[in-house]
Amino acid sequence: MNVLKLKSCSIYFEDDRFTNLNAYLSNSQYTSITIICDTLTYKHCLPLVLKRIKNLSKAHIIKLPNGEKSKSIDVVQNIFAQLIKTQQSKKMLIINLGGGTVCDIGGFAASVYKRGVDYINIPTTLLAMVDAAIGGKTGVNFLGLKNIIGTIYQPKCIIINTNFLNTLPQLEIYSGLAEMYKTQIIGFKKMQPINLTNKTLFQQSVYNTVKFKVGIVLKDEFEQHERKILNFGHTIGHAIEGYYSQINTQILHGEAVVIGMICATWLSYHRQLLSHNDFEKIISTIKNNFKLTLVSKQYFSALYLLMQNDKKNSFKLPSFILLKAIGLPIIQVEVSKMEIIKSLTYYNSLCK
């Protein structure tokens, strides 16, 4: 359990010595290195990285505001301005040190600055380790739409060190767990508890989740077919994230995806695609592992408008990933407004 390969990108499962990253940087010939982080990783994670990796002693540091609101065109412009001001060449390297927001926006900046420079992801949240940092998707939000502007541009390597998780609040851990359970629902034949207290078992679960995603991306890097299954729970989830951001209500990606997964599971059962047994297994697993919060009925119409503009849509109606069984997803299923409202109503019934 040390390395996975995603075409030219190596995914290393590191210890605190960062052996593989040190070796990579020692063997490279970059003219300069810029580290992109946010206010939290600047404080809690950057000192450890700088202490362990001597090749970063002269790195430029770009510190972003913390949170999803950093994923904007304005912040990207600020990154470009700093890269130009410090005269960063085509042979530079960007290192993204942070959660999904940092990986997404840093990867996007790397993909378009001087038509593409090398970058490395060092995810520091569980969500980023098992999802956002893997697969080359980059992007920023615009007009309340999640990742509506972006590219697919693979990093040179990804460094996963679960010791960074010790700096996180519990809610951030559960946000990442949502993506891990999503992987079980769409990719494994059965669902199993994820052990948070046994470090070895937990690291194995992280590895299994990453390995599954790597396998999907290798088959379909540019999301033409198989990779779309990774969007299970994300049609409603992304709409909730986007709308809650507009009304200044905080919700983590994993919390929104949990809502989306319950709705997609109900839709699958409602359409008689999913057996009652699998329906109950999925719903009970999610209820037992996550705290559910009510979605106001007043938001339903606004959420539907955002779903209509979702980047995953190919036709008129919002496109969902539904299920025939645990481990057997169906891609690009169009769902009506009435069905979506009924699924959200079902979700709310579980919150009581």
Side-chain angles (χ1 to χ4, degrees):
M1 195 176 71
N2 185 44
V3 62
L4 292 168
K5 293 291 290 186
L6 180 51
K7 293 190 174 180
S8 60
C9 172
S10 296
I11 303 172
Y12 297 109
F13 293 79
E14 286 273 31
D15 55 25
D16 274 344
R17 293 172 296 172
F18 292 98
T19 306
N20 294 294
L21 182 55
N22 269 307
Y24 177 86
L25 294 176
S26 296
N27 294 327
S28 65
Q29 295 183 333
Y30 294 111
T31 55
S32 62
I33 298 174
T34 292
I35 300 173
I36 297 178
C37 54
D38 62 23
T39 52
L40 291 176
T41 52
Y42 180 85
K43 178 180 179 181
H44 297 291
C45 303
L46 183 61
L48 173 63
V49 171
L50 295 179
K51 180 180 179 180
R52 292 286 191 264
I53 306 171
K54 302 304 180 185
N55 287 304
L56 298 180
S57 60
K58 296 181 179 180
H60 301 278
I61 309 297
I62 295 178
K63 182 168 59 172
L64 309 181
N66 187 54
E68 182 75 10
K69 287 194 173 183
S70 289
K71 288 178 65 173
S72 69
I73 294 295
D74 289 342
V75 173
V76 173
Q77 289 179 326
N78 181 51
I79 292 173
F80 292 153
Q82 293 191 57
L83 294 177
I84 292 169
K85 183 179 180 180
T86 53
Q87 298 182 323
Q88 303 298 297
S89 75
K90 175 76 173 176
K91 290 294 292 179
M92 72 166 298
L93 172 71
I94 288 177
I95 296 179
N96 299 317
L97 178 68
T101 295
V102 170
C103 292
D104 282 356
I105 197 170
F108 179 69
S111 73
V112 294
Y113 181 69
K114 298 196 172 181
R115 294 181 177 168
V117 298
D118 288 353
Y119 77 103
I120 290 172
N121 281 336
I122 307 179
T124 59
T125 65
L126 181 57
L127 177 63
M129 290 176 188
V130 299
D131 185 43
I134 313 295
K137 280 189 178 181
T138 77
V140 295
N141 305 335
F142 189 65
L143 298 179
L145 298 172
K146 178 92 170 175
N147 297 327
I148 196 68
I149 299 171
T151 60
I152 294 179
Y153 186 71
Q154 297 295 344
K156 300 305 290 184
C157 70
I158 300 164
I159 306 298
I160 297 178
N161 186 333
T162 56
N163 289 315
F164 281 127
L165 302 181
N166 296 329
T167 68
L168 295 179
Q170 189 178 43
L171 193 58
E172 286 281 0
I173 299 295
Y174 279 89
S175 183
L177 278 180
E179 290 287 349
M180 296 177 75
Y181 277 112
K182 179 204 77 176
T183 298
Q184 289 192 14
I185 293 170
I186 63 171
F188 301 165
K189 294 300 181 184
K190 60 181 179 178
M191 300 186 68
Q192 296 180 329
I194 296 171
N195 193 317
L196 289 172
T197 58
N198 185 304
K199 185 175 181 179
T200 300
L201 293 177
F202 177 69
Q203 287 178 331
Q204 186 63 52
S205 293
V206 170
Y207 177 85
N208 291 342
T209 303
V210 174
K211 184 179 180 181
F212 174 78
K213 182 166 185 178
V214 166
I216 293 295
V217 176
L218 283 171
K219 293 177 183 177
D220 180 22
E221 181 178 4
F222 296 99
E223 201 172 61
Q224 299 302 305
H225 190 72
E226 288 96 336
R227 188 169 180 174
K228 292 179 180 180
I229 68 171
L230 299 174
N231 292 317
F232 178 73
H234 284 58
T235 302
I236 286 179
H238 278 172
I240 288 172
E241 283 186 273
Y243 185 68
Y244 279 33
S245 176
Q246 291 178 27
I247 62 173
N248 294 314
T249 300
Q250 186 177 10
I251 189 166
L252 295 177
H253 175 75
E255 294 178 282
V257 167
V258 162
I259 298 170
M261 289 194 296
I262 288 176
C263 290
T265 301
W266 182 88
L267 286 165
S268 303
Y269 180 63
H270 171 71
R271 289 196 171 195
Q272 299 182 333
L273 300 169
L274 187 67
S275 72
H276 185 266
N277 188 43
D278 278 0
F279 172 73
E280 288 293 336
K281 283 181 181 178
I282 294 170
I283 297 302
S284 63
T285 299
I286 294 175
K287 283 181 64 178
N288 290 337
N289 285 280
F290 300 96
K291 181 181 178 181
L292 307 183
T293 56
L294 207 67
V295 178
S296 172
K297 291 181 180 179
Q298 296 177 0
Y299 302 165
F300 287 3
S301 291
L303 291 173
Y304 181 74
L305 287 176
L306 289 175
M307 288 178 227
Q308 285 184 304
N309 286 303
D310 191 284
K311 63 185 180 300
K312 298 183 289 298
N313 295 345
S314 298
F315 306 103
K316 185 176 180 180
L317 294 174
S319 180
F320 278 67
I321 307 302
L322 298 184
L323 301 166
K324 284 187 177 179
I326 293 173
L328 193 59
I330 317 167
I331 65 170
Q332 285 187 294
V333 180
E334 287 190 287
V335 178
S336 70
K337 181 178 180 179
M338 185 57 65
E339 287 178 297
I340 292 170
I341 289 173
K342 286 181 178 179
S343 73
L344 285 165
T345 302
Y346 169 75
Y347 166 80
N348 277 343
S349 73
L350 300 179
C351 301
K352 298 176 182 179

